[in-house]
Amino acid sequence: MPRLLHLGLGNFHRAHQAWYTARANAFDGPMWHITGIAMRNAALRDAMEAQCGRYALGIRGPEGLRVDEIAVHDRVLVASEDARAVLDAIAGPDMRIITVTVTEKGYHLGDGGLDLDAPEIAADLTSDVPQTAIGLLARGLARRFKAGAGPVTVISCDNISGNGGKLAAAVTEFARSAGEQIDPATTFPDTMIDRITPATSSEIRAEIAAVTGQPDAAPVMTEAFSEWVIEDRFAGPRPDWHRVGVEITPDVAPFEKRKLRMLNAAHSWLAYAGQLAGHGYVHEAMADGELRAGVEALWDEAARTLPDALAPTLPAYRAALIQRFEVAEMRHELAQIGMDGSLKLRERLVPILTGLEGDAPQTIRAIAAWVVFLSQTVAEGRDIADPKAEALVQAVRDNPGSPVRALAPHIGLGDAQQGWTRAIARAVADYPTNS
Ligand code: CS2
């Protein structure tokens, strides 16, 4: 029985890769089962185990809310409790595919690849019970190679451009530094993943329970729209994903760029400008004329940085995005999107700026909104949700009124881009504030 292991058992995985796999299982190919690895969330493991791995997936479409029962996980582990079991699972002979959703910060990427000095990575390099996704993958794949279990396909499903290549480089670098060897036939395809999936609130629990008539211990809500494009570089078998809408193609980069620079870039603009304007949700920010105009202006800029071949697809892509963002029932929180901004902006906004050589006023405004949001959060004494929070707070405190230069390196802008940094500083100074 072929198996898939997933690292990072959050809502997105359960709305996306697990949903595709469960649907692919309905065809006549072999049934795939998933070993779900929660990095730390023991409560989720307990909740899923209490339901034998099943959970309710609410799918919100134009016709209302439908609830599917997803039954594809037959084992759930918590990496922080039992890393050895995770390594054994990776090395198991039935394991064919590993998917990963650990968010941008789970990759510990510095400007030149894996950040070997990051405390979590440094700790994993001297430990045989790793806690990071990169450590677990490198040590698990090494164990697998020693056991002669054959190569696997490792699929990064995070919003990072060139995600497969970056994951491969990070895992390889960790293995090299740890003196471990992994099967050179292991593949790391690039992917574009897309499905808006809010964090589960009490309202979401109640709405799903109202449809099924019974409470679920681990429900997930998602939108009807879903996309998954995977680079055709598999080391072995895969579920019948192509029969359930997954596109397997030689080159994912254009899809990935379009998604990051359109959907995710607009999300980040709405997250900071929206919260500054007093909004809580994406649909509320979209109903604000100025913010909505900002989205359109951002897309005009992003469009100019995308491959020409995509141009004919953009009007429909933008129209669909607007519809997706306007669904009030999704209650997608701006604060959720605003988290980890230092890592997200370098994937979503900075590439537009780079593509247009700094001539991108709305992209600059969006970065300025992040700076103003950070400054305001610090001034109000609230916490910043970002792996670099300490350094960001320091930059804001040390440079009252003009923190842009100190913040710029944290989103990947260096000395060579000082002109852009000055433009961002001007946009910060001009940013309309309520006070
Ligand atoms: C969002 C994404 O939280 C965020 O940063 O922009 O999670 C977004 O909802 C997904 O990428 C949609 O596929």
Side-chain angles (χ1 to χ4, degrees):
M1 218 168 43
R3 300 191 65 80
L4 189 155
L5 177 137
H6 183 80
L7 273 181
L9 188 65
N11 280 2
F12 182 68
H13 159 71
R14 295 188 300 134
H16 192 267
Q17 304 94 51
W19 176 78
Y20 280 109
T21 306
R23 284 167 62 242
N25 275 345
F27 291 91
D28 43 9
M31 286 283 285
W32 284 70
H33 290 94
I34 302 181
T35 301
I37 313 293
M39 298 305 284
R40 276 172 298 271
N41 191 346
L44 177 60
R45 184 261 327 268
D46 296 346
M48 284 184 65
E49 268 183 0
Q51 298 180 163
C52 301
R54 294 159 185 261
Y55 58 93
L57 178 66
I59 301 176
R60 168 88 54 199
E63 294 87 34
L65 177 62
R66 170 182 112 220
V67 178
D68 284 3
E69 182 181 71
I70 306 294
V72 68
H73 300 86
D74 63 351
R75 196 169 179 223
V76 179
L77 298 168
V78 180
S80 58
E81 282 180 7
D82 198 355
R84 282 204 176 84
V86 177
L87 302 181
D88 285 342
I90 293 175
D94 296 341
M95 201 56 72
R96 298 285 182 218
I97 294 186
I98 300 175
T99 49
V100 181
T101 55
V102 291
T103 78
E104 297 84 346
K105 60 178 171 282
Y107 291 73
H108 297 281
L109 296 173
D111 286 327
L114 180 66
D115 179 4
L116 292 169
D117 297 328
E120 300 90 335
I121 294 293
D124 275 6
L125 280 170
T126 57
S127 163
D128 54 4
V129 283
Q131 296 296 305
T132 65
I134 303 299
L136 287 164
L137 277 172
R139 298 223 187 258
L141 291 172
R143 189 175 293 201
R144 182 175 184 88
F145 193 33
K146 257 186 230 133
V152 281
T153 307
V154 185
I155 312 178
S156 160
C157 301
D158 285 295
N159 286 317
I160 299 175
S161 61
N163 50 13
K166 285 182 186 153
L167 180 59
V171 169
T172 310
E173 177 61 11
F174 185 103
R176 198 192 52 75
S177 306
E180 300 268 31
Q181 256 201 310
I182 66 176
D183 191 333
T186 309
T187 62
F188 294 82
D190 275 337
T191 47
M192 188 282 288
I193 67 284
D194 190 6
R195 195 169 211 185
I196 293 173
T197 307
T200 304
S201 60
S202 48
E203 286 116 318
I204 287 177
R205 283 178 188 279
E207 277 168 2
I208 290 178
V211 172
T212 59
Q214 58 189 39
D216 190 278
V220 181
M221 177 75 84
T222 195
E223 62 175 339
F225 181 95
S226 188
E227 264 191 345
W228 195 4
V229 184
I230 312 177
E231 183 188 6
D232 192 3
R233 217 143 52 80
F234 286 82
R238 60 171 183 252
D240 279 340
W241 285 331
H242 60 285
R243 300 177 75 168
V244 291
V246 179
E247 202 171 326
I248 316 276
T249 123
D251 185 13
V252 175
F255 301 101
E256 202 174 68
K257 287 192 177 119
R258 183 176 65 184
K259 196 247 169 175
L260 283 166
R261 297 178 195 180
M262 292 269 172
L263 188 155
N264 296 114
H267 256 176
S268 288
W269 152 250
L270 292 171
Y272 303 114
Q275 290 184 88
L276 287 169
H279 303 301
Y281 298 105
V282 172
H283 68 275
E284 288 174 357
M286 281 298 279
D288 179 323
E290 268 184 48
L291 299 185
R292 165 79 175 265
V295 168
E296 297 284 358
L298 189 61
W299 286 344
D300 289 343
E301 291 174 5
R304 287 162 48 213
T305 73
L306 294 175
D308 289 343
L310 285 179
T313 71
L314 296 182
Y317 190 82
R318 288 168 64 150
L321 277 185
I322 289 173
Q323 280 187 354
R324 294 169 66 194
F325 286 180
E326 282 180 343
V327 180
E329 294 83 0
M330 286 299 286
R331 283 193 292 277
H332 194 192
E333 288 197 44
L334 296 173
Q336 180 186 348
I337 300 168
M339 285 182 345
D340 302 344
S342 68
L343 300 179
K344 289 178 178 175
L345 263 50
R346 59 171 73 219
E347 294 292 342
R348 306 171 172 196
L349 294 173
V350 173
I352 306 176
L353 201 53
T354 310
L356 297 178
E357 294 177 12
D359 182 15
Q362 178 57 26
T363 306
I364 284 175
R365 247 181 109 216
I367 299 175
W370 172 69
V371 174
V372 176
F373 178 80
L374 286 183
S375 305
Q376 209 172 86
T377 308
V378 172
E380 289 168 4
R382 287 182 289 123
D383 285 344
I384 286 171
D386 193 297
K388 294 186 181 178
E390 212 177 307
L392 300 178
V393 171
Q394 196 67 39
V396 170
R397 288 219 174 105
D398 290 351
N399 302 278
S402 58
V404 174
R405 242 183 110 177
L407 290 171
H410 296 295
I411 56 168
L413 293 178
D415 284 346
Q417 285 106 18
Q418 271 185 30
W420 309 354
T421 307
R422 279 195 293 275
I424 298 167
R426 281 195 297 277
V428 168
D430 292 346
Y431 200 91
T433 51
N434 297 328
S435 51

